[in-house]
Amino acid sequence: MAGGAVPPGALLRAINALLMQRRYRAALAVLKGFRNGAVYGAKIRAPHALVMTFLFRTGSLREKLKSIAQATYTHSRNLAYFVFTYKGLMALQSRLQGKKIPFHSFFAACIGGWLVFGENNPINSQIVMYLLSRILFGLSRLAVEKGYVPQPKQDPFPLVAALVWGTVLWLFEYHRQTLQPSLQASMTYLYDDSNVWHDISDFLIYNKKPGSK
């Protein structure tokens, strides 16, 4: 072929053959982890940022779109970096010790969490709080499975729900500054703004009259 160009079909076959090489599997898994982290971060952050920005954020359309894009990029980038770091350290530890042990996962994730999510900003804060709530549930279930805590005779979820809602509303009413900003915004909309109206327009149609602050 003129110019020595490689036919697209041959290049595709070469790439597929490389992907099937067992010796490169760990490194390729790290790269695909980076890809999946970036895609997943964008998928879950973009709709959340879109809704929260247009519900609660003031400013021009350009400013709102820029905020959405920045939040999506940050979440996507951080998750991609974390998965890359975690899977890379897991592969390294397994190679050094010749096998995979539970501590590897904890250590690799701790390092990744410190390096990638260690900065205290709104995006990282939301992600850490999201994980914390699920960790508490997971550890509670694990404690029951291992026999460290007796199996409850009744479903404890109603009590947990009552305590969670009781605590968060108490914090909102009396120590609001301790809550994460997006939660403050959501609860202000639900519990404070619903106390204020002037006529039918901002009672049923709008939360606040257009142009009001």
Side-chain angles (χ1 to χ4, degrees):
M1 183 169 290
V6 179
L11 179 60
L12 183 60
R13 287 193 295 273
I15 292 173
N16 286 336
L18 175 66
L19 292 176
M20 298 308 294
Q21 292 289 324
R22 188 172 184 82
R23 74 178 81 174
Y24 303 127
R25 191 166 187 82
L28 292 170
V30 172
L31 292 177
K32 185 169 182 183
F34 181 89
R35 177 264 181 201
N36 283 9
V39 171
Y40 186 79
K43 280 185 175 181
I44 63 175
R45 174 56 57 175
H48 176 270
L50 178 69
V51 171
M52 296 301 290
T53 297
F54 278 95
L55 275 179
F56 302 117
R57 190 182 180 96
T58 58
S60 66
L61 178 61
R62 180 184 179 87
E63 291 171 337
K64 290 179 178 179
L65 292 176
K66 183 179 179 181
S67 174
I68 294 168
Q70 182 61 45
T72 301
Y73 169 75
T74 301
H75 194 146
S76 176
R77 179 200 63 195
N78 286 3
L79 198 54
Y81 284 173
F82 177 82
V83 177
F84 182 88
T85 302
Y86 173 77
K87 291 180 72 69
L89 289 175
M90 286 290 289
L92 178 62
Q93 291 177 105
S94 180
R95 185 175 182 84
L96 290 175
Q97 290 198 260
K99 61 179 180 179
K100 180 180 176 181
I101 61 175
F103 178 75
H104 290 171
S105 179
F106 178 78
F107 177 75
C110 281
I111 297 299
W114 178 277
L115 294 175
V116 179
F117 293 107
E119 180 183 350
N120 189 358
N121 59 48
I123 301 295
N124 290 347
S125 178
Q126 288 177 357
I127 293 172
V128 169
M129 286 189 292
Y130 174 91
L131 292 174
L132 178 60
S133 62
R134 282 147 180 79
I135 287 170
L136 294 176
F137 269 75
L139 289 176
S140 298
R141 290 172 179 143
L142 182 62
V144 173
E145 288 178 7
K146 296 294 185 180
Y148 303 135
V149 175
Q151 179 73 40
K153 295 181 179 179
Q154 295 181 327
D155 185 1
F157 188 81
L159 176 60
V160 173
L163 291 175
V164 166
W165 280 100
T167 303
V168 76
L169 265 299
W170 173 74
L171 287 172
F172 176 73
E173 295 287 358
Y174 300 104
H175 304 281
R176 189 170 305 191
Q177 74 283 357
T178 64
L179 297 177
Q180 200 267 345
S182 66
L183 179 58
Q184 289 185 45
S186 299
M187 301 191 88
T188 296
Y189 181 87
L190 293 170
Y191 304 110
D192 283 356
D193 292 354
S194 56
N195 290 331
V196 180
W197 62 88
H198 302 89
D199 54 39
I200 191 66
S201 66
D202 60 353
F203 185 80
L204 285 181
I205 303 173
Y206 305 106
N207 175 47
K208 296 179 180 179
K209 285 188 174 183
S212 66
K213 295 186 177 182

